[in-house]
Amino acid sequence: MTAADRKLLESFGRALATQKLRLVYQPKVSLKDGRLTRVEALVRWDDPELGPVSPSRFVPLAEQHGLIDPLTEWGLRTTLKQWRKWREQGLETRLAFNISAVSLQSLDFPDLVERMCRAVGVPTDRLVLELTEGATQPLVRLMDTLTRFRIKGMGLAIDDFGTGYSSLLQLRQLPFTEVKIDRCFVKDLPSAHDSRLIVRTIVDLAHGLGLVATAEGIETIEQLRCVRELGCDVVQGFLVAPPLDPDDLIGWDREFKKLWPALLSDESLELWGDVEADTLRQR
Ligand code: C2E
Ligand code: MG
Ligand code: MG
């Protein structure tokens, strides 16, 4: 481990132990009607010395040095409690939560997650676990744990699909309920012919297997319309909303319902252009 990583790990361990981490929530909306279908919890860490540190930097360190289970448990408990608060305020949605493949090695983990849901009063079918395949951790090896989650009613999404080692075979072999198409395929839409072909193929395959197809990283109206045409069910990205503080979700939901028709109609494009620019500035 480099000296910089060691320092980062120590600071992260302190932040976790002293509750200095927080969660933000990014909406995912249905392409059928623009309604909020779920929110993805994303961890944030603002270190007083280092400034904001990306989860892509500290999650792998936590995985390698025994801190991933406490991070997952803290995050999941916080997210479940937040769901209760939203529901009390009249917002009914599902939660998407990123789970490291490292945590899935324990066969007891699904029981723990179920107990946490029960303790907070969240039905298990409100929770979708997002999994990413790591280079050393083919998800197929985790079949038993994944099956236990499904039996208990949780949804399972394969995240960043189409990158790294994720293979088509896994979609058939493992009990997923949702595929999240990685944003690298969305980035060059609508013009890139090969990206269109890939997205369409993943969507068709997902539908053939009875899975929800979600497109990640939607930043422009053209991308949104294109993935809608290609048959995607759900979108997530800065165009729809950046990751939000929990108290901002209900207000966002109210405004987005009004703005949704503008996303699909050419007349209102100009109006949306301003909103889009604002959203991007805020992120
Ligand atoms: P992910 O699960 O694929 O999350 C999506 C990432 O894309 C998030 O980055 C989000 O802020 C970013 N994003 C969303 N919309 C757009 C867009 O339109 N354009 C672009 N360029 N980016 C967009 P973030 O929050 O930095 O998270 C990075 C990764 O870290 C996540 O990828 C996930 O794998 C991991 N992660 C985040 N929070 C947690 C957590 O609580 N636990 C675990 N185990 N992993 C987490
Ligand atoms: Mg995710
Ligand atoms: Mg992703």
Side-chain angles (χ1 to χ4, degrees):
M1 191 167 32
T2 64
D5 277 358
R6 186 166 307 118
K7 185 166 185 294
L8 194 68
L9 187 65
E10 273 171 26
S11 305
F12 174 73
R14 261 197 310 276
L16 180 62
T18 56
Q19 310 262 334
K20 295 282 159 49
L21 305 176
R22 65 192 173 94
L23 289 174
V24 287
Y25 298 86
Q26 191 175 31
K28 300 196 205 178
V29 302
S30 160
L31 278 170
K32 215 166 43 189
D33 52 15
R35 284 185 172 267
L36 178 68
T37 64
R38 53 200 72 173
V39 288
E40 177 175 1
L42 296 159
V43 63
R44 292 289 177 264
W45 171 31
D46 300 306
D47 184 74
E49 260 178 64
L50 305 166
V53 186
S54 162
S56 321
R57 180 96 172 82
F58 64 81
V59 169
L61 270 183
E63 285 177 342
Q64 286 155 28
H65 299 281
L67 288 178
I68 195 68
D69 285 343
L71 173 65
T72 302
E73 284 175 37
W74 165 81
L76 197 53
R77 193 163 288 121
T78 307
T79 300
L80 294 171
K81 285 188 192 155
Q82 185 58 53
W83 183 90
R84 282 276 308 265
K85 271 195 211 156
W86 282 323
R87 213 200 41 187
E88 281 155 20
Q89 294 165 353
L91 183 88
E92 183 70 66
T93 184
R94 295 175 102 191
L95 293 171
F97 189 80
N98 292 286
I99 299 267
S100 157
V102 176
S103 300
L104 296 172
Q105 278 163 337
S106 150
L107 272 179
D108 299 332
F109 188 57
D111 284 336
L112 173 69
V113 175
E114 186 184 39
R115 276 200 305 276
M116 286 170 77
C117 286
R118 203 174 295 146
V120 186
V122 179
T124 50
D125 68 355
R126 302 287 85 197
L127 188 61
V128 180
L129 304 174
E130 295 197 359
L131 315 169
T132 312
E133 181 159 64
T136 53
Q137 226 12 276
L139 290 170
V140 173
R141 284 209 209 126
L142 307 168
M143 172 75 107
D144 289 347
T145 316
L146 297 182
T147 306
R148 286 179 189 210
F149 276 118
R150 286 296 297 129
I151 292 169
K152 292 175 188 298
M154 291 91 167
L156 293 176
I158 182 158
D159 208 343
D160 306 334
F161 186 74
T163 60
Y165 289 76
S166 58
S167 76
L168 297 180
L169 194 63
Q170 301 205 69
L171 281 189
R172 188 169 63 83
Q173 287 178 331
L174 292 169
F176 288 112
T177 53
E178 176 180 342
V179 180
K180 294 188 75 181
I181 302 168
D182 192 75
R183 69 167 166 270
C184 68
F185 303 115
V186 169
K187 197 168 50 74
D188 301 323
L189 293 178
S191 55
H193 175 71
D194 52 350
S195 295
R196 289 177 80 99
L197 196 64
I198 291 169
V199 172
R200 192 187 290 280
T201 306
I202 300 176
V203 168
D204 287 349
L205 186 70
H207 289 168
L209 295 169
L211 314 184
V212 171
T214 297
E216 297 189 289
I218 299 290
E219 295 183 356
T220 69
I221 294 182
E222 291 75 20
Q223 289 169 348
L224 179 125
R225 291 179 179 180
C226 181
V227 297
R228 189 166 184 262
E229 250 172 59
L230 295 172
C232 280
D233 306 294
V234 172
V235 280
Q236 176 177 17
F238 295 149
L239 175 72
V240 171
L244 302 169
D245 284 327
D247 291 342
D248 293 338
L249 187 70
I250 291 182
W252 168 86
D253 185 46
R254 201 180 309 120
E255 289 308 307
F256 189 77
K257 276 188 189 128
K258 290 188 229 154
L259 291 168
W260 170 251
L263 275 175
L264 304 176
S265 94
D266 287 330
E267 289 154 34
S268 322
L269 255 181
E270 270 174 37
L271 162 82
W272 184 266
D274 296 339
V275 177
E276 185 184 349
D278 282 350
T279 309
L280 290 171
R281 272 196 292 277
Q282 277 166 25
R283 91 171 189 247

